[in-house]
Amino acid sequence: MTDPLVLVCGADDGFAKPLAVTLYSALSNYCGTDDVRVHVIDGGISAANRARVDRIVKTFGTAVEWMSPDLTLVRQLTVSERFPASIYLRLLVPSLLPTAFDKAIYLDSDVVVDDDIGALWKESIGDKSLLAVQDSGAPTFGSPWGLAHYREFGLRASTRYFNSGVLVFNLRRWREQRLAERVLRFVAAHGDQIRFFEQDAMNAVLWSDWRALDSRWNQLVSPWEIHERRELQRGILHFVSTSKPWNPQGAHWTNFIYDQYLKRSGWYSSLQWLSYYLPLVLRRQQVLHLRRTVQATRARETAAAAAHAH
């Protein structure tokens, strides 16, 4: 008997719907024969939304194992409007999962899995504590959006920096080395010196104890950046920034990928889908029109300034 593929997410009620999309996309594209065990760390999801997630996952012949963490462990840590306490839930994965599991895939609830996650599961973790993707927006500690104050932590600018939205945990090593406790202590001690809280802390603690995955497993998508379709590969899309595809401000050509998984998931009935989707599409078009207007105005101002300078 082979070990099951262990898939873990964490979310609060505000991310219940995108959580369902993440799970649906991962399960609908899975081509392997191993059993899949789905675990969700419940950061405060309502009973009604839990039932909807349960229903969606059940269609794939599996069930959600809901895990209720002791949130007092993370509530005293540094948070912000953009980064609530739920960001720390991933650090609880090794302690919450059954000790029989030695490995687990963690996915943020703002990702879409657009390929067979079984291929990610087969990646060898070796003796490292973590598999992750080097952050395309901050590839090293010394990058403008890399690890702030890295010198004060005794680290080098050239050290690679990973994004924590898609992780493969070596659960045994995390337990043996008590890595979650070390990361949480780092946040507690340096919360006023780091920007991306748990992600920065994981990078600082595990700087030499992780292996890089192919970039297709965590492709960062922001509506403020232009991504050509040929640049994005089949894999995992991670909708970073505060403007997500379920918000009009997240208008971007990749919206249709998220939209198709949401529709197919069955989160909404047919009538509910129309009530949700049509107003969203109209508001996205308004955002795109405004964005193009602002860009055109800036381009004219830049051209006029250049002409004046000459």
Side-chain angles (χ1 to χ4, degrees):
M1 183 176 177
T2 58
D3 293 332
L5 187 161
V6 182
L7 180 60
V8 189
C9 295
D12 56 23
D13 203 48
F15 271 75
K17 181 169 64 177
L19 164 68
V21 174
T22 295
L23 293 175
Y24 177 84
S25 65
L27 295 171
S28 64
N29 285 306
Y30 177 57
C31 299
T33 57
D34 295 338
D35 289 339
V36 180
R37 304 288 179 85
V38 177
H39 296 257
V40 175
I41 307 174
D42 184 357
I45 299 176
S46 69
N49 282 336
R50 280 177 56 152
R52 293 168 99 170
V53 173
D54 282 332
R55 173 175 50 79
I56 290 167
V57 170
K58 189 177 180 180
T59 62
F60 297 97
T62 188
V64 177
E65 293 288 336
W66 294 93
M67 301 183 293
S68 299
D70 181 1
L71 294 178
T72 59
L73 295 171
V74 298
R75 281 191 177 127
Q76 75 277 17
L77 297 176
T78 306
V79 296
S80 68
E81 184 177 351
R82 180 178 178 185
F83 300 113
S86 59
I87 64 168
Y88 297 108
L89 295 179
R90 74 203 70 200
L91 299 174
L92 307 180
V93 167
S95 61
L96 289 173
L97 287 177
T99 55
F101 296 154
D102 292 333
K103 181 180 177 182
I105 295 175
Y106 169 84
L107 301 176
D108 266 354
S109 295
D110 55 359
V111 310
V112 162
V113 182
D114 200 34
D115 201 1
D116 180 11
I117 202 168
L120 175 58
W121 181 248
K122 291 177 182 176
E123 291 279 349
S124 174
I125 201 166
D127 61 351
K128 296 297 185 183
S129 294
L130 206 63
L131 301 179
V133 173
Q134 187 172 10
D135 196 299
S136 59
T140 64
F141 285 2
S143 302
W145 291 100
L147 180 64
H149 304 283
Y150 64 87
R151 291 189 184 89
E152 297 175 29
F153 306 140
L155 301 169
R156 296 182 177 180
S158 59
T159 303
R160 292 181 302 173
Y161 182 89
F162 63 82
N163 182 278
S164 64
V166 177
L167 303 169
V168 182
F169 280 93
N170 181 337
L171 297 173
R172 180 176 296 179
R173 184 167 172 82
W174 272 73
R175 293 166 183 145
E176 291 173 350
Q177 301 294 320
R178 302 182 69 85
L179 294 176
E181 291 89 335
R182 289 169 58 187
V183 174
L184 290 170
R185 283 200 303 270
F186 188 93
V187 176
H190 305 290
D192 60 342
Q193 295 176 284
I194 51 181
R195 283 183 293 243
F196 301 109
F197 306 143
E198 113 294 337
Q199 180 171 283
D200 280 358
M202 292 176 76
N203 272 276
V205 172
L206 302 172
W207 65 273
S208 64
D209 195 19
W210 67 284
R211 185 172 71 78
L213 293 164
D214 188 278
S215 61
R216 76 187 184 98
W217 292 119
N218 190 356
Q219 300 172 87
L220 308 186
V221 178
S222 168
W224 310 112
E225 298 173 1
I226 298 175
H227 299 270
E228 296 293 340
R229 298 185 186 217
R230 63 180 178 272
E231 293 177 352
L232 295 177
Q233 307 172 68
R234 290 293 302 276
I236 296 178
L237 302 185
H238 184 186
F239 300 102
V240 295
S241 89
T242 55
S243 300
K244 307 295 187 183
W246 53 92
N247 304 129
Q249 293 75 19
H252 193 261
W253 73 261
T254 54
N255 290 157
F256 83 92
I257 301 175
Y258 174 86
D259 294 343
Q260 69 173 347
Y261 283 113
L262 174 59
K263 183 179 182 181
R264 287 164 47 194
S265 74
W267 179 271
Y268 292 114
S269 68
S270 297
L271 288 177
Q272 289 173 332
W273 173 253
L274 292 175
S275 297
Y276 159 80
Y277 192 59
L278 293 180
L280 176 61
V281 170
L282 290 174
R283 292 171 68 191
R284 281 176 180 166
Q285 292 303 314
Q286 292 171 346
V287 168
L288 289 172
H289 175 73
L290 179 60
R291 200 177 289 167
R292 286 191 293 266
T293 300
V294 170
Q295 290 171 345
T297 300
R298 288 176 177 171
R300 288 194 297 270
E301 290 173 349
T302 300
H308 182 73
H310 290 290

